[in-house]
Amino acid sequence: MVLKTDNPAESLLSEPNKGLAQTFERKRLEYKDSSAVFFQESGDFSKQFAHVYSVRLAELRTVLSELVSVKWQKLKITRLADLEKLEHRRCIVIGTLFKHQQWKPSILRELSDEHQLTHQVSRENYCSEDDQAFLEDEMLRVKLVGSCVDIKNIITGVVCAVIGHEKEDGTFLVENFYFPGHIPKSPASYSASQGKLLFISGLDMTTGDNLQLNLLNEWICGMIGDPNSQNKVSSIVRVIIAGNSVRSSAMAHHSKGHMEGRAQDIMFAKEVSDSTKRLDEFLKTIVECCSVTLMPGQHDPTNVMIPQRVLHPCLLPITSRHKNFRGGSNPWIGKVGSRVVMGSSGQPIKDIMKVSGVTSVTALEWLERTLEWRHLCPTAPDTLPSFPYCEKDSFIMNVSPDVYFMGNANKFETKLVTGIENQKTRLVCIPRFYQTKTVILVDMESLDVQPISFGAKL
């Protein structure tokens, strides 16, 4: 285990204390799970997905109208249907971005391919040279053109204000884009809570890396290290596990016959069962001494559509009975002490990267942009499967997070973002543990971040 520290005296391999054993009490803070906002509507899947974009645009249009009215007082805010009345004069149009991409997933294409018995290829990049950018509202859609329209940075589902004018050919020449921006903090003042949050992601119990998992388990429980290190570990008030704890990849299923496919299904089911038992064994020791929130991930045994529900208690019969254990949804919003913590197990950001195709923009930068867009999952339901909301888009951010994270990242990244009103948000990309053997500590008072690696370099 490698603990990033400048003090050599804090080595976990230091000489055992010859004096009396010291006792450190685990700090505890008030905890509130606010993820119920994602599941307020009934399970009615008969609604069309167009309702999602309508309610998203209606809510964020109100926010943008107030912001752009102050910034561009002399420009008129208009709808796409009224562009002809302006006779090509400069104006502001508020709508939802849409990028036409021939390679993005399509249910019609999938059904067609299935009937033709062709193998379906999962793409890591939906982009092509024929992609086109549009802005749409409840009635119309207009093509966006101009030097500032970078097709790579156009993400379907993002609501924004566009400044420019309509051209003779019916396209819209864009001069600038304007997004909702960071959410203002509540005017009520508060004192930051003391303690630390531990973020883990991608445990993947199918890998069988017992040494690193045992080290992590014992470290959280304060069973290794000198008294100084154990005292620091006792300040961890909650462990947040962000997805893919059971497994981190889908089954590679290429059916070559009924019997072979059935055998693969049986082997896959047994692997999931065994991994779930190992996860229960891993967590049962931790919850005895520390509070834990467990989020599902893309490949965990729960629903595929976003938001993903908590793992069923029957999957973790020992851990789920403990008072320190709480199941979390994906995405998840909670309040630990006075700090608002928000994030996902990684699917929203990874899907944005597929839609964009830009390799130079990191996951951390996309995470920051979703904060600017005020939306957790902008590509849902276009390329990211989600529930068909029809009354309210629950993925719109209505509270400013103090810690905003994504799980299952390729590498550890972090940044402290400051908004216009000096509101601060700590962004964290949590790396996959089964690959990097790294977990992340966040100080709740200062929002400082410390990566801790168990036998591997960052």
Side-chain angles (χ1 to χ4, degrees):
M1 169 181 174
V2 180
L3 178 62
K4 301 299 180 180
T5 175
D6 297 328
N7 187 357
E10 295 180 0
S11 172
L12 298 181
L13 301 179
S14 58
E15 183 180 358
N17 186 16
K18 297 180 180 179
L20 297 176
Q22 299 185 41
T23 302
F24 303 102
E25 183 178 354
R26 177 79 62 177
K27 291 183 173 61
R28 296 187 181 275
L29 288 177
E30 183 181 354
Y31 171 78
K32 179 181 178 182
D33 191 327
S34 304
S35 300
V37 65
F38 298 130
F39 305 99
Q40 289 182 349
E41 298 195 25
S42 61
D44 184 4
F45 289 86
S46 64
K47 304 297 182 182
Q48 294 291 323
F49 285 102
H51 294 293
V52 178
Y53 297 106
S54 297
V55 296
R56 183 184 304 177
L57 177 58
E59 184 170 346
L60 291 178
R61 174 185 277 137
T62 303
V63 177
L64 280 166
S65 297
E66 296 176 358
L67 294 174
V68 298
S69 297
V70 175
K71 190 173 182 64
W72 290 284
Q73 298 180 4
K74 297 181 180 180
L75 293 181
K76 181 180 180 180
I77 302 176
T78 186
R79 306 230 175 187
L80 293 177
D82 299 326
L83 282 177
E84 293 182 357
K85 300 177 182 179
L86 295 179
E87 299 178 348
H88 313 300
R89 294 196 300 271
R90 292 180 72 221
C91 62
I92 300 174
V93 182
I94 298 175
T96 306
L97 293 176
F98 173 78
K99 180 157 64 173
H100 175 74
Q101 295 179 291
Q102 62 176 341
W103 296 122
K104 71 182 179 182
S106 167
I107 184 61
L108 296 178
R109 187 184 304 115
E110 289 176 6
L111 289 173
S112 175
D113 293 343
E114 181 180 346
H115 291 153
Q116 295 174 12
L117 301 179
T118 58
H119 178 61
Q120 313 225 2
V121 179
S122 177
R123 292 182 174 270
E124 293 298 322
N125 187 340
Y126 303 147
C127 296
S128 71
E129 296 180 355
D130 299 325
D131 294 348
Q132 296 179 334
F134 295 87
L135 185 76
E136 62 180 28
D137 59 14
E138 298 88 345
M139 299 178 61
L140 297 175
R141 177 185 293 176
V142 63
K143 184 178 180 181
L144 302 179
V145 296
S147 59
C148 68
V149 179
D150 185 357
I151 191 65
K152 295 288 188 180
N153 290 313
I154 299 295
I155 304 298
T156 297
V158 174
V159 177
C160 67
V162 178
I163 297 90
H165 67 275
E166 186 183 26
K167 297 178 65 177
E168 295 288 345
D169 59 1
T171 60
F172 194 88
L173 181 62
V174 180
E175 299 177 13
N176 201 356
F177 291 93
Y178 195 80
F179 301 101
H182 297 188
I183 309 166
K185 285 280 189 183
S186 172
S189 60
Y190 66 92
S191 58
S193 303
Q194 292 185 346
K196 291 182 174 63
L197 295 173
L198 179 65
F199 289 92
I200 310 172
S201 187
L203 287 171
D204 192 355
M205 291 296 168
T206 63
T207 59
D209 292 332
N210 294 326
L211 176 59
Q212 286 78 15
L213 289 173
N214 289 339
L215 281 173
L216 174 61
N217 191 306
E218 293 178 358
W219 176 73
I220 296 174
C221 296
M223 293 186 288
I224 57 176
D226 61 9
N228 189 27
S229 298
Q230 292 174 340
N231 185 34
K232 288 184 177 181
V233 172
S234 68
S235 64
I236 298 175
V237 297
R238 181 163 292 271
V239 178
I240 299 175
I241 305 176
N244 287 355
S245 300
V246 176
R247 60 183 299 114
S248 59
S249 63
M251 176 181 59
H253 183 83
H254 302 289
S255 180
K256 297 181 181 178
H258 175 73
M259 294 304 296
E260 181 176 341
R262 179 175 175 79
Q264 288 182 1
D265 291 340
I266 294 174
M267 291 178 61
F268 177 77
K270 185 179 186 304
E271 185 179 60
V272 171
S273 177
D274 293 342
S275 299
T276 305
K277 292 178 182 178
R278 283 196 289 270
L279 178 62
D280 198 16
E281 290 289 330
F282 172 78
L283 292 176
K284 74 175 184 179
T285 307
I286 297 178
V287 295
E288 291 177 356
C289 63
C290 187
S291 300
V292 175
T293 296
L294 177 65
M295 298 168 54
Q298 180 180 2
H299 303 290
D300 286 329
T302 184
N303 60 296
V304 176
M305 300 177 70
I306 299 292
Q308 291 182 295
R309 295 186 178 273
V310 301
L311 294 180
H312 197 281
C314 291
L315 296 172
L316 305 170
I318 302 175
T319 305
S320 59
R321 296 176 182 176
H322 205 283
K323 64 179 181 179
N324 283 341
F325 177 79
R326 293 290 185 273
S329 63
N330 177 33
W332 174 80
I333 304 174
K335 192 171 184 180
V336 184
S338 60
R339 294 294 194 182
V340 176
V341 186
M342 178 188 302
S344 72
S345 295
Q347 296 101 307
I349 304 302
K350 291 181 179 179
D351 196 65
I352 290 174
M353 297 176 76
K354 288 183 179 181
V355 170
S356 170
V358 180
T359 57
S360 59
V361 180
T362 65
L364 182 68
E365 292 175 286
W366 287 120
L367 188 68
E368 182 178 358
R369 293 187 190 185
T370 59
L371 196 65
E372 187 78 13
W373 300 333
R374 293 197 191 184
H375 204 278
L376 283 163
C377 315
T379 59
D382 185 50
T383 51
L384 186 67
S386 71
F387 181 83
Y389 296 107
C390 61
E391 297 180 2
K392 181 180 177 62
D393 185 353
S394 297
F395 295 133
I396 295 176
M397 297 181 186
N398 293 311
V399 60
S400 179
D402 296 292
V403 181
Y404 183 36
F405 66 90
M406 71 159 286
N408 295 286
N410 294 330
K411 62 179 181 179
F412 163 65
E413 295 179 285
T414 186
K415 181 179 181 181
L416 187 62
V417 177
T418 303
I420 298 177
E421 299 184 5
N422 204 35
Q423 64 271 39
K424 297 184 182 298
T425 299
R426 169 61 68 178
L427 306 179
V428 183
C429 291
I430 312 167
R432 291 184 286 264
F433 182 82
Y434 77 94
Q435 289 181 332
T436 64
K437 311 299 186 254
T438 300
V439 297
I440 308 300
L441 267 180
V442 177
D443 189 289
M444 296 181 62
E445 185 174 16
S446 63
L447 294 181
D448 290 339
V449 178
Q450 182 182 20
I452 299 176
S453 180
F454 292 79
K457 295 182 179 180
L458 289 174

